[in-house]
Amino acid sequence: MVNSFTVAGKPAALRPLAADDAQALLAFAQAIPLHDLLFLQRDIRKPRVIAAWLDQIDSGQIASRVVVDDSGRVLACTALVRDEFSWSPHVAEVRILIAPEARGGGLGRRLAHEVMQAARAAQVKKLFVRMTPDQEGALYVFQDLGFVPEALLRDHVRDAAGQPHDIVILALDLQRQQDQQALYGLGEIQG
């Protein structure tokens, strides 16, 4: 399914990530400031990591969508990462990356909603997201959607210069949120 809308006043489309997006996704990842990638467990600026990502989509471990402009350039991407063979098959990780020029217009919130809807459809009960504590815009969006801080991992990652950075983990109990919305007759909250 493709959703069309505008990003920074220009036409864009949200659609599933496909194998033929590999080069555009790699170009996107290589243009993102390195600090913005520190929350990821793998360096997506490498072709083999993109290939592994696409393999995990094929195997059903990851559900990813991309926002592309009318030239096919990737402006943003999402991932809903779930391991059905782990002790936590009811839990999924949310990953969202947005090109700097596409930030500040509500795209992050829109993508967070998209991922949350996909999680509900997949019957995920709990979501979590990682980021560095200085990613204030992302922190605000996720906390506004009901995510709460669950952990601070001090000096958990190192940047290319070897400098340590903290990672904060926020989580949302989707089942509890749905139960509360039903109790108060709110339905699904849109933001």
Side-chain angles (χ1 to χ4, degrees):
M1 181 169 93
V2 176
N3 295 337
S4 298
F5 53 98
T6 61
V7 173
K10 297 179 182 175
L14 174 66
R15 60 169 174 73
L17 178 61
D20 59 354
D21 291 320
Q23 288 304 314
L25 187 60
L26 183 61
F28 165 76
Q30 291 174 342
I32 297 284
L34 180 60
H35 183 80
D36 294 356
L37 302 174
L38 292 177
F39 74 94
L40 299 171
Q41 292 182 305
R42 296 180 180 171
D43 185 351
I44 64 169
R45 299 172 304 154
K46 298 178 179 176
R48 66 186 175 141
V49 175
I50 297 289
W53 180 357
L54 293 169
D55 287 345
Q56 288 179 307
I57 290 170
D58 286 343
S59 69
Q61 296 173 57
I62 296 178
S64 285
R65 296 177 61 96
V66 288
V67 175
V68 294
D69 66 13
D70 53 3
S71 72
R73 186 171 65 102
V74 175
L75 301 174
C77 65
T78 69
L80 182 64
V81 183
R82 184 176 182 192
D83 184 352
E84 293 189 25
F85 301 109
S86 75
W87 292 107
S88 304
H90 62 292
V91 177
E93 180 180 3
V94 173
R95 297 177 187 161
I96 298 174
L97 281 169
I98 301 172
E101 67 273 15
R103 296 176 188 169
L107 182 57
R109 180 176 300 277
R110 179 186 187 121
L111 295 176
H113 276 285
E114 292 279 343
V115 172
M116 289 172 67
Q117 288 175 352
R120 285 185 182 101
Q123 298 180 352
V124 170
K125 303 300 179 204
K126 182 177 182 178
L127 291 173
F128 74 96
V129 62
R130 306 171 207 236
M131 64 194 72
T132 56
D134 59 350
Q135 291 178 304
E136 294 174 0
L139 279 168
Y140 176 80
V141 167
F142 282 103
Q143 288 180 320
D144 194 46
L145 292 172
F147 284 73
V148 295
E150 285 203 349
L152 176 65
L153 307 175
R154 295 193 186 280
D155 298 336
H156 194 69
V157 296
R158 293 193 185 277
D159 62 24
Q163 294 300 310
H165 296 272
D166 298 343
I167 293 291
V168 63
I169 298 174
L170 289 84
L172 174 66
D173 184 325
L174 277 174
Q175 186 64 54
R176 183 177 302 142
Q177 185 186 56
Q178 286 178 296
D179 291 347
Q180 288 175 339
Q181 289 170 351
L183 178 67
Y184 295 109
L186 298 175
E188 186 174 331
I189 297 175
Q190 299 294 316

